[in-house]
Each structure stands twice: as C-alpha cells, then as structure tokens.
Amino acid sequence: MSSRGGSDAADLRRLVEECEAFTRCESCGTHVVNLDSHRCPSAGTRETNRETRRERAERDERDDDDRVGIFPRSNGNSYAYHELRDGEVCCGSGNYTKADRLEVVRRREAKARGRCPCGNCERLQQLRTDGGD
C-alpha cells in the first residue's frame, strides 16, 4: 500500500493479481472470483440500475399470474426473476448464486419487489421460440 495511508490503483491491482482467490479472464482481462459465473462484456451487455430494471419489468408482457423464482437478496445483489420449469430455474443461474433457497412468487409480486426478467431466461425463451421448441 502507499505511504499516504490509502491505496492507489497500482497497489490494488498488484494485490488482486497476486491473490490466489482471483482469476483473470483470458478473453477480456477482467479479474473474477468465480470464473464459472463470469461472462465477458459484449455489445449486448446491459447496464442495470433501478430505472432500467423497472423498464424491463414493464416491457415483460407475459402473464403476471405465472409463477417465477427469485433468490433472496441477503447474499448479494439479486435483481432478476427467473422462469421455472418443473419448479427449477430454467437458466441454471441457481448453480452460481450463494442463495440457499429459491422463493416462488407470482410475476407481479417479483415486479413489485423491483425485480426484472432474467436476461438468460429471456435468451433461452427466444432460442426456444426461434428453434420451434
């Protein structure tokens, strides 16, 4: 660390690079804790904040009475609701969350809690629609 009592970017970068708990993505150079859950940024990557999540939820025209899954927020930022198939999250994101349970609620309740559609669930639905599945 620097002698000023704080840290500067070079010191912090060195610590991250030397720490065995972090891995650096070979494709984009991002330092990540869990490489399995990392995705490189792309042109389609969305910046999310409360307003964009609200807009995405409002554009979701699927039945508000359908049941969706949400992971509790106690273990981090979980802003999405997930489509379910036989009571399980369709996109597999449950494999990468630290949450130990899935809460099943109606889509309208998930929206009221400030959640938006999971991007992976949306992509899977689009693939099923395009593929005729």
Side-chain angles (χ1 to χ4, degrees), residues 6-7 13 15 29 38 43 55 58 61 66 69 74 78 93 99 116 121:
S7 65
R13 178 175 295 282
L15 286 172
H38 168 69
E55 290 170 0
E58 288 175 355
E61 296 178 349
D66 285 349
S74 61
S78 175
S93 68
C116 65
C121 289

Side-chain angles (χ1 to χ4, degrees), residues 81-83 89-91 118-125 128:
Y81 54 84
H82 303 273
E83 300 307 307
V89 174
C90 293
C91 69
C118 167
N120 289 333
C121 289
E122 288 179 321
R123 285 186 283 278
L124 286 172
Q125 181 178 358
R128 283 192 297 272

